Amino acid sequence: MLNDRRTRGFQQVNYNRPNSVRSSPGFAAVPKDSHPPSLHWRGEPTRGEAEAVLAALEPVTASRYELSVGPRRVRTVTYLDTVDWRLRGKGLVASHERASGPGTLTIDGDGVSGTTRLTELPQWPARVEQLPEGEARDGMASAMWVRAVGPVLRSRAVTREVAVLDDEGKTVVRLDWAEVTGIDPVATPPLVRVSLWPVLGYGRDAKRVRKALRAAEGFADVDGDLYDGLLTAAGIVPEEAAAPAITREMPADVAIATALHGFAGVIAVNVNGVLDDIDTEFLHDLRVAVRRTRSLLKLAGDVLPPRLVARYEPDFKWLGDITTPTRDLDVYLLEFDALTAMLVAGEPDDLAPFGELLRAEREKARRTLARALRSQRFTRLIEGWQAALAEIIDRERSEAELSAEALAGQRVRRMVKKVVRRARSITPESPSESVHDLRKRCKELRYLLEVVKPVCDEAAHRAVIKDLKKVQDILGAFQDGEVQSESLRGFAERLQAGNRRPPAATLLAMGELSAGFVDMQLRARHDLTEALERFLGPATHERIKALLP
Amino acid sequence: MKVVASYNVKGGVGKTTAAVNLAYLASARGRRTLIWDLDPQGAATYLFRVKPKVKGGSAKLVGGARPVEAALKGTDFHGLDLLPADFTYRNMDLDLARSHRKAGKAARALARLLRDLADDYDVVFLDTPPSLSLVSENVLRAADLVLVPIIPTVLALRTFDQLAEFVDTLDRDRPRLHAFFSMADRRKALHREIIADLPRRREGVSPTAIPALSVIEQMAVRRAPLPAYAPNSPAARAFESLWSEIAELLPA
Ligand SMILES: Nc1ncnc2c1ncn2[C@@H]1O[C@H](COP(=O)(O)OP(=O)(O)OP(=O)(O)O)[C@@H](O)[C@H]1O
Ligand SMILES: [Mg+2]
């Protein structure tokens, strides 16, 4: 039955989620964040043609109902996430839908849902502050953190709403027929689904309709939502590509090369994000990979060809150094609001000229960095390094070689000894250089432990990392306090020297911040003694023994 | 949550028509809306194509034995739910009196039931049967605003005055009265005269008149609110301006 007259009451119904504006209990019959039951249609796609959709849904009418088709709608749906799948990690689905006009931005997930009508076409990727204000942004902000969202997958959805009417012509169930095709980055065959939206007070009809469809030949239950189905069909695996792990039996040099190759991969994939300034985490991740590389070269580079290490070590130092200024400024800017909030005597606005200086310096630093990352030196470094490592990984292997496991045991023990020795020698009177030295060694140990994780006892590894982390946090605060108070001095001097002299209030506020950092350092120094005592106690010793054979 | 009653002692004056159309407009303008059809005849229920049936009937409902929520029905319209009529509502007076010993409680029982829905709806419309009864008293006490359709005749005005007098006797639950002309016929001189004159002279009388038009009568054939099938008709416009007035009297 084709009955357009009765479709007048239809609101636009999204095909894969409760319409977020439906907040009256009439629609709250479905728990708010749950998805309606959906069935998968195995027959031929209908392209949303009314006759074909009605023919497919025919089993519903057998008992006592009539069907009334609503309008056919076509729109593109672009699913969004951060490169490291933060939204998905939090069970959120963000999408930009449009038919004509700029469309809507929607967030949907555990206890969160919201839709924002857009007034202009959004640009991807976008960080939180670049997204249009509204429910959708509010719903995704904390999951996004400092990262930008961009398109994961673009699809085309053809939908048709079909109302199931009882003998009064009353809608008792709403069916959403949706045929969704992936278009970008790959084309996928259409996924055809029908979702059943119960109407308040008509739960029994919803059950009956669902039963009729499930009993029909063309329909099957589905697990997972449409987005999952699309990702699978498109061959997109929603997790960060893990670098191949080292194994116990690998020869030592192959294992080290494998780990280094993984880091090189991280460096390479983050370069574009840094160049495009998508968000600050690209640079951060790149730098961590550089630090890990340098640390591993230092602790286990001797198993690699000496000429290779000698050739690349300085390059990685260079790479680390050229990325530092931008990262330091990023950190300042990311923390800027928190810093402002720290002020007790000063007013938040006092720091505005400082903020401007930070932004100007960051822009300059970033340009320098971009030049370096576009240089031949960098290209040669990353390409040559990856190729050289690949050669080691693929080399012929023989039986009698030092294994990864043996190497790991040896190096971890050596590194632990170093850390313990330094930790023991720290007293409340030790100069801060000794504390910094301990901090660096702890970091090296941490990186080493992360590399050898696959050959370690899992529980022991987790415990050791946890102990180590506590100490590292305190050492980090100690270092930060010192570095920040010193760098504030530099910023203040540059502000003074600039052509627009800052107001006294700005310098005073910066002085207050500086005092805060000194205080943080002092507190960390105080906490350190106790933390080291715990770390040097028998428990840690036992755990380290259990770590490796 | 605001409660709007469509009420007049007289029958056939457009109470149901107003309640259904205004509830539809309220929901279309984004308010989470419920309409409770208190008339055992179930005209509003019929217009929404819902079966006039409440499990347990009036006794269980007003006695509190069955939660109001269990009886709710989603209409075909977004954000608009219905609490249907039931034939047993014809005994509601008795049920109210029976389940509440004290007269004061019996007169406020519906208000209390509605309180359970306060988080779910922004506005509740009550469509009432034409009578002066314990149910009516409940309705008047529960309502923030009482809409009174009056046909522009002198006699009809008298009944409105009587209602105003009665409402004045209510102590603390006194609702605001808002009368409007229903089924106004421009061809009748008396209608024209009253419509032009009264809103100026009398407080609580709307300047908006709903004309007598066959497109409104068609609601019973279409079984739908008027603005849903004739959104641009002058009749629908008249209801829209009436809703705007009410919306202003009832800030969200
Ligand atoms: N403005 C109008 N123009 C034409 N017909 C109307 C108008 N308003 C209402 N009617 C018709 O008049 C009849 C009575 O209207 P309605 O049911 O709204 O009145 P009521 O006060 O609720 O009646 P009752 O007291 O029986 O409940 C209905 O058939 C309705 O379609
Ligand atoms: Mg009526």
Side-chain angles (χ1 to χ4, degrees), chain B:
Chain B
M1 185 183 77
K2 303 290 186 189
V3 179
V4 181
S6 186
Y7 178 75
N8 193 325
V9 188
K10 294 194 132 213
V13 295
K15 296 185 293 292
T16 299
T17 303
V20 165
N21 290 332
L22 294 171
Y24 173 89
L25 290 170
S27 66
R29 300 288 178 273
R31 299 210 194 187
R32 298 171 302 163
T33 308
L34 175 70
I35 175 167
W36 187 354
D37 184 357
L38 283 161
D39 187 343
Q41 308 250 18
T45 304
Y46 177 84
L47 290 178
F48 284 111
R49 300 169 180 265
V50 173
K51 297 194 163 78
K53 178 94 198 102
V54 171
K55 233 189 192 172
S58 146
K60 292 260 158 80
L61 196 62
V62 303
R66 287 185 74 89
V68 188
E69 283 94 336
L72 298 175
K73 298 283 178 189
T75 69
D76 289 1
F77 309 100
H78 173 80
L80 176 56
D81 294 342
L82 170 79
L83 187 49
D86 187 276
F87 197 50
T88 59
Y89 284 3
R90 71 190 193 282
N91 305 321
M92 198 179 266
D93 262 5
L94 270 177
D95 294 328
L96 282 167
R98 220 177 269 148
S99 56
H100 300 85
R101 291 252 174 74
K102 291 191 183 142
K105 279 206 167 166
R108 293 182 178 89
L110 295 190
R112 186 122 43 102
L113 285 180
L114 288 171
R115 235 173 281 149
D116 288 347
L117 301 171
D119 290 340
D120 299 327
Y121 298 99
D122 300 318
V123 53
V124 178
F125 284 86
L126 304 176
D127 185 27
T128 60
S131 64
L132 194 53
S133 60
L134 186 51
V135 173
S136 326
E137 186 181 343
N138 260 276
V139 164
L140 296 175
R141 287 184 186 276
D144 297 287
L145 187 87
V146 178
L147 268 177
V148 189
I150 44 180
I151 295 172
T153 63
V154 179
L155 273 181
L157 286 176
R158 266 182 48 84
T159 22
F160 177 55
D161 289 335
Q162 282 164 355
L163 175 63
E165 269 165 40
F166 176 72
V167 163
D168 267 342
T169 68
L170 297 178
D171 38 9
R172 52 197 161 104
D173 308 315
R174 200 176 306 152
R176 183 177 186 132
L177 290 186
H178 196 68
F180 69 94
F181 296 112
S182 175
M183 307 187 192
D185 190 343
R186 294 251 157 224
R187 288 164 307 182
K188 294 184 179 154
L190 182 64
H191 278 207
R192 283 202 306 273
E193 224 168 85
I194 293 178
I195 292 170
D197 184 44
L198 199 67
R200 262 183 279 146
R201 272 200 304 112
R202 186 92 164 60
E203 212 189 319
V205 179
S206 165
T208 305
I210 305 295
L213 290 168
S214 65
V215 70
I216 298 179
E217 248 170 322
Q218 289 220 347
M219 285 169 67
V221 182
R222 302 269 194 161
R223 295 185 74 180
L226 165 77
Y229 63 84
N232 298 317
S233 61
R237 296 254 165 74
F239 279 109
E240 273 177 43
S241 64
L242 190 54
W243 165 245
S244 302
E245 274 171 37
I246 297 167
E248 239 169 77
L249 297 175
L250 301 172

Side-chain angles (χ1 to χ4, degrees), chain A residues 114-161:
Chain A
T115 295
T116 303
R117 201 161 289 287
L118 304 179
T119 51
E120 56 186 337
L121 262 185
Q123 300 280 319
W124 309 118
R127 294 187 296 274
V128 165
E129 69 272 16
Q130 297 166 323
L131 290 173
E133 277 177 41
E135 281 182 0
R137 181 171 100 170
D138 296 346
M140 56 208 273
S142 85
M144 280 172 68
W145 184 52
V146 302
R147 305 236 62 169
V149 291
V152 171
L153 183 131
R154 202 153 56 85
S155 63
R156 178 174 181 270
V158 177
T159 58
R160 177 72 87 164
E161 300 152 9

